[in-house]
Amino acid sequence: MQKQTLSKKRWLRLIPIAFITYSLAYLDRANYGFGAASGLAADLHITPGISSLLGSLFFLGYFFFQVPGAYYADNKSAKKLIFWSLILWGGLATATGLITNIKLLFGIRFMLGVVESAVMPSMLIFLSHWFTKAERSRANTFLILGNPATVLWMSILSGYLLNSFGWRWMFIFEGFPAMIWAFIWWKVVQDDPKDAKWLSSQEKLHLEEELLKEQQGMQEVKNYRDAFKSKTVILLSLQYALWSIGVYGFVMWLPSIIKAAPNMDIVTTGWLSSIPYILAVLLMLGTSYFSDKTLNRKAFVWPFLLIGAIAFYGSYLIGTSNFWLSFILLIIAGGAMYAPYGPFFAIIPEILPRNVAGGAMALINSMGALGSFLGSYIVGFLNGRTGGFGASYVFMAGSLFLSALLTIWALREAKTPSKKKDFKVSA
């Protein structure tokens, strides 16, 4: 009974806060695609190539500061780091609606990536301090649901804001909430269970014992450098980079892909752009539940990436001959790409001890940022160069296919004992 009460308290208090925080972060990075599709590029005289670079520049800033952010969150305070990140990224996102100079836009997009770079690893570290192995895939999923769920409502809201007020006010309206939310975050969260006034001493002790028990049997890894040299971590970093090429190529350019269809207005584009994320939310919830139920991670990661690759390639084969059939395959691709996030980010805390797990997740996420940079830029470049979307579909399909293969290889490596390591993961 006590265990159920403790679990309920944590889920009800922390998960909504984590979800909203990441949702606001994702809102302020993903709405650029809507701005670019509706006036920003024309007003600032931005060419398709420069627009691709601007859309992807966020991820370059995001790439460089993941590991330092994770180190600060793990050794100092995730609460403090995310508080200041909320204020700064909200301000930068709002400033996007005020600029008249393309040079300033370059700076804002890069700095937005820098400021947001600590959010994902810090939130994963934060949740790993509060939720056990049997809960972690679901906890991670509810965090990362802020990604597709945000794009879902953002697609609709942005369409109406653009139609009614224009791209400048869209950025202003959608950037300001993060600065307000920072103070709610500061008031509600604590870095560790021992600091929570809303838990009894017995509840704190029980949770700390459960989390400590998970660390028993893991081989000691002295520092980040040793963790980063792990073959499993290297393979998962490459896997996540390729996976992110598909995800962010899709997210950044789906509005433009739909908008190019005959007789398509921006409001309809917004509604249609939201549909893949409805499927994504449903698949993420189901996948994380069964992954935690079985404590099997591999079986809930690579098959979905393979499905995404096949769907992208099928959409390429259909081409422009049948927009709606092609769009249905894009819906499947989008849902399949999002489904494995919860199980994937539950892997590292299960194979590496707590002192280095946060840094390893940050390294993997930073490689994902590099893949996101390449994905959003190359997809936009291919669309502009070829005058269609077929080449970018093949590019994203190939990236996801390789990502699926690397998942199998990485987790097979994690199960293989050696004299130097004893990393194990359920597969």
Side-chain angles (χ1 to χ4, degrees):
M1 187 68 179
Q2 178 188 334
K3 185 176 180 181
Q4 289 179 343
T5 304
L6 172 60
S7 178
K8 187 175 180 180
K9 281 183 179 179
R10 288 176 294 127
W11 285 95
L12 291 179
R13 186 178 181 95
L14 299 176
I15 292 300
I17 296 295
F19 172 83
I20 293 171
T21 302
Y22 191 62
S23 181
L24 290 172
Y26 207 81
L27 168 67
D28 290 333
R29 78 176 69 166
N31 59 5
Y32 177 82
F34 278 91
S38 184
L40 182 151
D43 289 352
L44 298 183
H45 308 291
I46 299 171
T47 64
I50 295 298
S51 185
S52 298
L53 180 59
L54 283 164
S56 55
L57 196 59
F58 167 91
F59 300 106
L60 198 57
Y62 198 78
F63 168 72
F64 285 109
F65 294 93
Q66 293 271 322
V67 174
Y71 181 83
Y72 184 91
D74 218 2
N75 294 278
K76 301 288 185 179
S77 172
K79 174 181 175 177
K80 186 180 293 185
L81 185 61
I82 292 172
F83 170 78
W84 286 110
S85 295
L86 278 159
I87 291 175
L88 291 171
W89 93 56
L92 287 165
T94 300
T96 306
L98 304 174
I99 54 96
T100 56
N101 187 322
I102 191 173
K103 292 180 181 178
L104 291 175
L105 186 56
F106 272 102
I108 286 173
R109 290 296 298 173
F110 179 79
M111 287 306 301
L112 189 64
V114 170
V115 170
E116 285 195 26
S117 63
V119 176
M120 180 66 165
S122 296
M123 293 299 290
L124 290 169
I125 290 167
F126 172 76
L127 292 177
S128 72
H129 292 178
W130 282 93
F131 293 92
T132 64
K133 178 179 179 179
E135 304 167 314
R136 204 163 286 139
S137 178
R138 283 168 291 159
N140 291 343
T141 291
F142 278 108
L143 167 68
I144 302 168
L145 273 177
N147 177 324
T150 300
V151 180
L152 196 162
W153 62 261
M154 179 202 74
S155 298
I156 299 168
L157 176 64
S158 296
Y160 280 108
L161 288 175
L162 287 165
N163 190 57
S164 301
F165 302 103
W167 65 269
R168 291 188 180 277
W169 281 105
M170 181 201 74
F171 283 113
I172 293 169
F173 284 141
E174 293 181 351
F176 198 70
M179 293 182 279
I180 299 172
W181 184 253
F183 296 94
I184 298 173
W185 163 269
W186 185 261
K187 182 71 175 177
V188 174
V189 305
Q190 296 82 28
D191 279 303
D192 290 293
K194 62 182 174 61
D195 301 320
K197 295 179 181 179
W198 45 276
L199 291 178
S200 68
S201 298
Q202 196 171 6
E203 287 171 333
K204 293 176 186 177
L205 181 61
H206 176 74
L207 182 55
E208 288 173 3
E209 286 176 349
E210 288 293 312
L211 292 170
L212 187 61
K213 195 183 300 181
E214 292 179 6
Q215 299 297 305
Q216 296 173 2
M218 285 190 182
Q219 182 176 337
E220 180 184 356
V221 180
K222 292 182 180 179
N223 51 41
Y224 281 4
R225 179 180 294 179
D226 287 346
F228 293 171
K229 290 191 292 185
S230 156
K231 189 173 182 179
T232 301
V233 172
I234 292 170
L235 289 172
L236 288 176
S237 297
L238 293 173
Q239 182 266 16
Y240 195 53
L242 289 164
W243 180 1
S244 297
I245 284 175
V247 171
Y248 282 93
F250 180 84
V251 169
M252 294 299 293
W253 295 104
L254 183 64
S256 296
I257 290 169
I258 295 173
K259 184 76 164 45
N263 304 315
M264 191 69 64
D265 59 56
I266 193 64
V267 173
T268 306
T269 296
W271 277 100
L272 290 178
S273 296
S274 72
I275 295 174
Y277 303 103
I278 298 173
L279 178 61
V281 168
L282 295 174
L283 288 176
M284 287 177 74
L285 291 171
T287 299
S288 64
Y289 174 80
F290 287 107
S291 177
D292 275 349
K293 192 86 170 174
T294 62
L295 291 180
N296 188 327
R297 308 307 183 193
K298 184 172 74 173
F300 293 96
V301 178
W302 73 263
F304 285 101
L305 299 177
L306 183 59
I307 290 169
I310 293 170
F312 267 130
Y313 190 69
S315 191
Y316 157 72
L317 292 177
I318 293 167
T320 58
S321 62
N322 189 326
F323 170 78
W324 292 109
L325 182 56
S326 179
F327 179 61
I328 288 171
L329 288 171
L330 288 180
I331 292 172
I332 294 170
M337 284 190 296
Y338 277 97
Y341 272 118
F344 179 78
F345 280 107
I347 291 170
I348 288 297
E350 294 176 9
I351 64 174
L352 288 174
R354 182 168 169 169
N355 66 306
V356 295
M361 286 190 290
L363 176 67
I364 290 168
N365 204 45
S366 69
M367 291 303 294
L370 188 60
S372 302
F373 171 79
L374 292 173
S376 54
Y377 177 71
I378 294 175
V379 168
F381 174 81
L382 290 173
N383 293 344
R385 177 59 65 92
T386 63
F389 304 106
S392 61
Y393 289 173
V394 173
F395 174 62
M396 289 186 281
S399 298
L400 288 173
F401 179 73
L402 291 174
S403 180
L405 295 182
L406 281 172
T407 305
I408 299 170
W409 184 9
L411 297 189
R412 184 175 295 168
E413 180 66 25
K415 289 180 65 181
T416 304
S418 73
K419 295 180 180 179
K420 293 185 179 180
K421 67 176 178 64
D422 190 23
F423 298 166
K424 295 179 181 179
V425 62
S426 299

